[in-house]
Amino acid sequence: MTMRDNLDISAYLVLGPENTLGRPVADVVEQALDAGFTCMQIRSKVCSVRDLIEYTAQAADVIARAGKSDQVALLIDDRLDAVLAARERGIKCDGVHVGQSDIPVDVCRKLLGPDAIVGLSARCEEMLEYVKTADMSLVDYLGIGPLHETETKRDCGRAADGSIITKSFEDLAALHAASPVPIVVGGGVKTADLPQLKATGVDGFFVVSAVCSANDPYAAAKELVDTWQQA
């Protein structure tokens, strides 16, 4: 069994040092893990690659100490070079998450090998077309968003009038029906969204601020996990 076989994206945390209100990244990872989060992604637009590798090493240590290295996937956003370097250093980094304008998934798959996880995010309207035409065997899951306008993801799609294009639950249900791989949805997701989100059939939610910017990350993470599981 590889992490690809075990992948659980039901409760997915995305974080970097710019998201944690000055708290150590490893501490927030630990609190989210304790609360039942199932997937972690290290993402930073301000870090050097060396720092990105260091945060990944810290997160991998936290996951290992919790005895969850075989259950909780640890990915790096965007930087295939950081994933390769981390693995070279013996850090348990399970794969990469890329956007449609980043390194192509076939290159990621070729360099990381058949056991690595490769996640792909794109705008909903592009994704439906992609799902119907692309070779989905290279991708382990799709990241879709934003559900709401959000400060942590300012580079999402915009309409002609400049407003951010958000995703309706109907859009998400249609995508879920068309996609051969699991889907995780994020972008300003709150606890109150989760019952409706789960009803679309998608496989999970991802958050940044809802946990990282909370006064009590553990309590915020636990509320999200419990609400998703009960929905």
Side-chain angles (χ1 to χ4, degrees):
M1 291 283 278
T2 67
M3 278 307 297
R4 286 188 82 185
D5 304 314
N6 271 344
L7 181 63
D8 181 347
I9 53 171
S10 60
Y12 189 141
L13 183 64
V14 179
L15 79 167
E18 63 263 49
N19 308 126
T20 58
L21 306 182
R23 294 177 285 219
V25 168
D27 283 7
V28 178
V29 169
E30 186 170 16
Q31 291 183 63
L33 256 191
D34 288 349
F37 265 67
T38 60
C39 192
M40 302 285 168
Q41 181 193 122
I42 303 296
R43 178 181 91 185
S44 177
K45 304 301 179 193
V46 300
C47 273
S48 66
V49 170
R50 190 161 288 197
D51 285 344
L52 214 50
I53 294 165
E54 181 52 39
Y55 287 121
T56 304
Q58 292 170 12
D61 282 347
V62 168
I63 294 168
R65 284 202 309 274
K68 293 184 173 177
S69 295
D70 295 334
Q71 297 134 35
V72 173
L74 175 60
L75 310 174
I76 297 177
D77 179 58
D78 193 13
R79 300 302 302 253
L80 180 61
D81 52 349
V83 178
L84 291 166
R87 290 178 147 208
E88 189 64 29
R89 269 185 48 188
I91 298 163
K92 190 179 181 294
C93 179
D94 298 298
V96 71
H97 181 93
V98 292
Q100 279 191 314
S101 57
D102 298 329
I103 295 174
V105 291
D106 57 331
V107 176
C108 296
R109 176 61 66 210
K110 183 178 177 190
L111 292 175
L112 291 176
D115 295 341
I117 293 166
V118 178
L120 175 72
S121 57
R123 299 174 192 139
C124 208
E125 62 278 10
E126 293 168 352
M127 197 58 98
L128 206 47
E129 188 54 34
Y130 184 88
V131 162
K132 290 171 181 169
T133 56
D135 177 5
M136 296 300 291
S137 68
L138 300 173
V139 179
D140 293 291
Y141 71 89
L142 301 176
I144 305 289
L147 190 64
H148 305 294
E149 203 169 320
T150 169
E151 283 304 316
T152 53
K153 198 89 175 102
R154 304 303 298 169
D155 57 347
C156 36
R158 290 181 182 271
D161 65 358
S163 64
I164 288 181
I165 301 168
T166 54
K167 305 297 158 274
S168 72
F169 291 112
E170 292 75 21
D171 293 339
L172 296 171
L175 248 180
H176 165 69
S179 175
V181 298
I183 290 174
V184 63
V185 177
V189 169
K190 311 272 189 301
T191 305
D193 297 316
L194 296 184
Q196 260 187 293
L197 190 58
K198 197 168 189 181
T200 65
V202 299
D203 301 85
F205 64 89
F206 69 86
V207 292
V208 185
S209 310
V211 169
C212 294
S213 300
N215 291 331
D216 183 341
Y218 171 79
K222 184 106 179 65
E223 186 185 22
L224 287 160
V225 170
D226 289 350
T227 303
W228 177 262
Q229 287 176 348
Q230 290 156 14

